[in-house]
Amino acid sequence: MYAQRNTSTAPRPRQGFNRPAPVRLRMALIMRSRMDFGPLGDMETALRFDGVSLAPVSTGDASLVSGGVTVLATATADDISGGRVKGVVAPGGATDEAGVAQVKALLALAKTQGLPVLAFGEGVALAAEVYGVAAEAPGAVFQGDKVALINDRAQLSAVVATIS
């Protein structure tokens, strides 16, 4: 019925709703078993909302399953050293020795490349240890010898806007 008339009262699709944010940059997400972003909640969604594409990096077989879903690792340490990612996201997670050693190795690689590291939950303590600085907050950004603490999503958005 509406197709036969050209009127302004015809139903129209609502465009622009539920459309993902445009991707500005790609960052490596260190996958850990029992991955946790701490008191800030689901930071993956917040980062995606800010235009960050997350490329999972595996730290072992146990990290490939998250919430009952098998995750395909789409980045490697070579992507960090080759400049194909603009930073590293380090959440908290399981504290097994092998996994922690791999996380520290990836954080050290990011440090040598001068990439920013966004750490959350228990990942803040690991990153602080690798960078040799003190930091205690729900989240923190490490780059060079500087640390910026993140206590809420607004601070995260402000930090992500400065990464290029």
Side-chain angles (χ1 to χ4, degrees), residues 33-50:
S33 61
R34 296 190 303 272
M35 194 165 62
D36 180 29
F37 288 93
L40 290 177
D42 185 16
M43 288 289 100
E44 288 182 81
T45 303
L47 288 168
R48 286 191 176 107
F49 186 74
D50 288 334

Side-chain angles (χ1 to χ4, degrees), residues 73-93:
T74 59
T76 62
D78 290 339
D79 291 322
I80 296 171
S81 61
R84 289 181 289 279
V85 294
K86 299 293 184 182
V88 175
V89 177

Side-chain angles (χ1 to χ4, degrees), residues 31-35 60-72:
M31 294 294 295
R32 301 175 68 184
S33 61
R34 296 190 303 272
M35 194 165 62
D61 291 338
S63 70
L64 295 176
V65 177
S66 177
V69 176
T70 302
V71 177
L72 177 64

Side-chain angles (χ1 to χ4, degrees), residues 52-118:
V52 177
S53 172
L54 297 173
V57 177
S58 176
T59 57
D61 291 338
S63 70
L64 295 176
V65 177
S66 177
V69 176
T70 302
V71 177
L72 177 64
T74 59
T76 62
D78 290 339
D79 291 322
I80 296 171
S81 61
R84 289 181 289 279
V85 294
K86 299 293 184 182
V88 175
V89 177
T95 57
D96 60 291
E97 289 182 33
V100 169
Q102 288 179 338
V103 170
K104 286 182 180 179
L106 290 170
L107 293 174
L109 181 60
K111 179 182 177 183
T112 60
Q113 295 297 318
L115 296 176
V117 171
L118 281 68

